[in-house]
Amino acid sequence: MNGSVQAAGAWDAAGAWRPWGSAEAEDLRGPLDITVAATVVLDARDRVIGWSPAAEALLGHAAEDILGRSVDVFLCGTAPAAASGPPSGPAAGPPEPGPSPASSVLPGAPGLPFRGHEPRLARHRDGHAVPVEAAVSELAGGGTAARVLVLAETERLRVWESRLAMLDGLATQSPIGLAIYDTDLRLAWANAASSAEIGRPFPQYRGTHADELYPGGALVTQGHPRTLDAVMRQVLDTGEPVLDVQFLGELPSDPGRDHLWSCSYYRLEDAEGRVLGVCEDAFDITDRYDAQNRLALLVEAGRRIGTTLDAVVTAQELADVAVPGFASAVEVDIAPGVLEGGEPETGRPARGGFVRVARAPARAARTVIEYLPGTPQLRSLSSGGKVLDENALVVPLRVGSETLGLVTFTREGRPAVFDNGELALADELVARAAVRIDNARRFTREHAAALTLQRELLPQHLPWHSAVEVAHRYLPTDGATGVGGDWFDLIPLSGARVGLVVGDVVGHGLPAAVTMGRLRTTVEALAELDMAPDELLARLDDLVVPASDAFQGQGEGRTGEAAGAYVAAGPHPDVTTGATCIYAVYDPVSGRCTMARAGHLPPAVVAMDGSYHYPELPAGPPLGLGGLPFESMEIDLPAGSLLALFTDGLVEARDRDIDERLDLLGQVLAAHRELPLEELCDRVVAELLPDGTTADDTALLLVRTREFDAGQVAMWELPAEAVAAGRARELITGQLSTWGLDELAFSTELVVSELVTNAVRYAQGPLQLRLIRDRTLLCEVADTGHTSPHLRHSTAEDEGGRGLFIVAQLVQRWGTRYTRSGKTIWTEQAFPDGVPTV
């Protein structure tokens, strides 16, 4: 065969001729394919009689220059060392033709067995060596052409062989399932991974449609056709690949469990562009999908479980999170002691008796559960660990060695069995819930303790008092905020007067309750000293110390953890950030009320004519600021007047201005002022807190005033002279006779005589003697002195000092109260049996 070997090729879709030796064709045919490789036709003497364009492109020799020459012109020996550099000698052109034994260079010659293709060195026309792979094929027929020599660059052949090895690996070793469907969308080929998923020999399911292989499966990716056949038909029609289509279905080799695959499809074409079918690659991402779902469930659990400090709510949150993504149904049982804030059982409880507090998806009323012998719940209690029983998984709610309860996860349908990853997930879910339930238990205990403390610190009932009629309400805030520090009180004072107090400690919880108790006790103690309201608040202000002042300089000498603990607790663990208070003293004899406030809202005053107002009391600073003055204000409260003292929880609202709320309170009080105070309290709460809840604790103290008539009070002015004692005895005897209290005349004469004598001796100015018939007989002697008498025991040699001691033995109580003009010594005596009280 003389002349060039014509290069084969094909017309592409654009009308251009593409030789098969091009990169596109070589991708399909390989470097040693005769249609793309450098092809040389040799005669029996190894002379070139045919030279392809690819050979000219590889070695640089034109056909007219190489035809008729020996193969030695371009093909060197087989020794690798010869390939280390260009051959020696001139390289201007090919050598003259001459006979050369082909056995020295041709791979198929005698003495060199043919092994498909072998490495050789070829000489380029410019002289440099070209590593090639050579393959020779003997021609039969006895013509001029004896053999065909095919050459390809070694590097390109190695790349091709790597690609072949890769394809072989995809077919036999890859975990990705590969399948080829023909143009009728029937299965034409499947690799080993795909065949393993099917679980049958390939000939048994060849020619099957994809939707027939996975019946009941469905695409879960949006934006694509609903079936695999439809997706592949779209790829065949458009030529556009479809990537990462997620398909959920049952694996033929693993029935009973759904798997999730990520599938991609692309169209297959031959070198001429003819459509051969569709290739599918599918990767089972079930494990990854399950892991992502478990992680997502843990994230959701962290967001939804434990939103409140309520064990029952937390248990229901756990059940709701686990259904339906993890289990078909969940039941949560908790020990009764845990729900009440008590200590859980330590070790392994042998019996049930837990309370079922949560269930999903169906809710259930709280019931006590007794586990039967052999049940997984009782086995879990006995072993202290989780128990897997068919489609039920029981996991104990434990914190350390303490068992709080049990959680039962139940599954129906597919898959009914919990795998190892799901067991670990159940442990994590329950462990998170257990910590939060234990926190709720501790909060319940502390909250109950705070409520008990507050209940004990607040007055259980206010005493009856002749000066006023009272009613009260206390509304605690919601359980999440905790116990507050609001309080109220009524304190009987000397002279038939009464002290009225309402206060509000900033904050919630035990610190607020303890501080409230301290303040209430202090107010009672200071009120017993008959202090004026402004003076009482000033003394009370000294008790509430800001934290910064309390800690200042107190941590010196402490280091490390000791210093940190000291700063955290402080010298006064119940130091609060502040409090407000209003204190009022009402005198039924004068009908006047003196009041002062420390940062508190003013009281509401409703007159007999139905008008209401808020007295413009000096505001005063909140307790705890220290150093700032308080001022008192005196107002008239005739009998029947209504006084309302309250904390800000009653009138504060997020959606209303406080002035509007105060006006609403005044209107309610005025409109229903004639109601009994208990009913009026309920009406106020209903109008101002219609839903029964408040963002802060609320205390309300309603007071309706009374006045003593003239027949209950007798008062005289006496000169500060020695004869005053005798005159006082005469006045007392006459008044007691008028009141029918002659039995008290002798003791009262002694008491009055001693008090008047002391006032004349040690005080100055005019004296005032007053008798008040209340529930007891009140006797008061007022003077302008500020020195209080002291009770003492006289010795046998003392000539005096026994009078006040005798007075103390004759009366129930006695004391001193100070006024701006002096002091008043007062006593109280019980009435004889049978004498009616006011």
Side-chain angles (χ1 to χ4, degrees), residues 569-602:
H572 303 289
D574 55 344
V575 167
T576 185
T577 55
T580 66
C581 182
I582 183 169
Y583 179 64
V585 175
Y586 175 69
D587 186 347
V589 176
S590 65
R592 299 188 65 79
C593 181
T594 305
M595 59 183 72
R597 61 182 177 131
H600 204 87
L601 292 171

Side-chain angles (χ1 to χ4, degrees), residues 213-485:
L213 287 174
Y214 302 94
L219 294 178
V220 297
T221 305
Q222 301 297 322
H224 295 288
R226 302 184 62 179
T227 65
L228 293 178
D229 283 358
V231 172
M232 287 190 281
R233 176 57 62 189
Q234 174 182 306
V235 173
L236 278 177
D237 294 342
T238 65
E240 295 292 331
V242 174
L243 306 178
D244 194 24
V245 175
Q246 293 187 1
F247 177 79
L248 183 66
E250 183 178 326
L251 191 65
S253 60
D254 184 21
R257 180 190 179 196
D258 285 336
H259 285 246
L260 184 69
W261 289 271
S262 174
C263 304
S264 296
Y265 299 91
Y266 45 91
R267 192 168 68 182
L268 299 177
E269 301 176 1
D270 64 9
E272 289 77 20
R274 290 189 296 268
V275 177
L276 303 177
V278 177
C279 183
E280 173 194 68
D281 64 63
F283 186 68
D284 192 334
I285 60 172
T286 305
D287 292 341
R288 184 181 71 186
Y289 179 75
D290 290 344
Q292 290 175 342
N293 284 342
R294 292 166 189 165
L295 180 59
L297 184 59
L298 286 177
V299 173
E300 184 72 2
R303 186 180 67 84
R304 293 176 54 186
I305 297 177
T307 58
T308 67
L309 287 171
D310 187 306
V312 175
V313 173
T314 301
Q316 188 61 55
E317 289 169 345
L318 168 62
D320 292 339
V321 164
V323 176
F326 181 73
S328 302
V330 176
E331 295 172 334
V332 183
D333 307 332
I334 298 180
V338 173
L339 297 175
E340 297 168 1
E343 293 296 330
E345 297 188 44
T346 303
R348 300 175 181 176
R351 296 179 57 84
F354 287 176
V355 179
R356 181 154 296 165
V357 298
R359 178 184 291 172
R363 301 291 192 267
R366 186 181 302 186
T367 55
V368 177
I369 303 298
E370 292 287 345
Y371 304 124
L372 298 177
T375 58
Q377 290 84 0
L378 196 58
R379 286 157 49 199
S380 176
L381 284 178
S382 301
S383 65
K386 59 179 174 289
V387 172
L388 181 60
D389 185 79
E390 295 182 353
N391 64 338
L393 172 63
V394 180
V395 183
L397 278 161
R398 297 178 67 86
V399 175
S401 61
E402 300 173 337
T403 300
L404 308 179
L406 294 176
V407 182
T408 303
F409 301 94
T410 305
R411 277 188 175 176
E412 297 177 357
R414 306 181 303 178
V417 179
F418 295 90
D419 59 27
N420 291 335
E422 290 167 331
L423 293 179
L425 176 60
D427 281 340
E428 180 65 22
L429 286 174
V430 174
R432 292 189 179 194
V435 171
R436 287 159 174 79
I437 289 175
D438 189 55
N439 289 340
R441 175 190 67 83
R442 296 174 185 273
F443 171 78
T444 299
R445 180 184 62 193
E446 298 299 329
H447 189 63
L451 283 175
T452 302
L453 175 62
Q454 187 185 50
R455 190 179 302 114
E456 294 300 321
L457 292 175
L458 284 173
Q460 302 304 303
H461 62 276
L462 296 180
W464 185 92
H465 200 280
S466 56
V468 291
E469 176 191 354
V470 295
H472 58 86
R473 290 292 181 272
Y474 180 81
L475 281 72
T477 186
D478 58 90
T481 306
V483 175

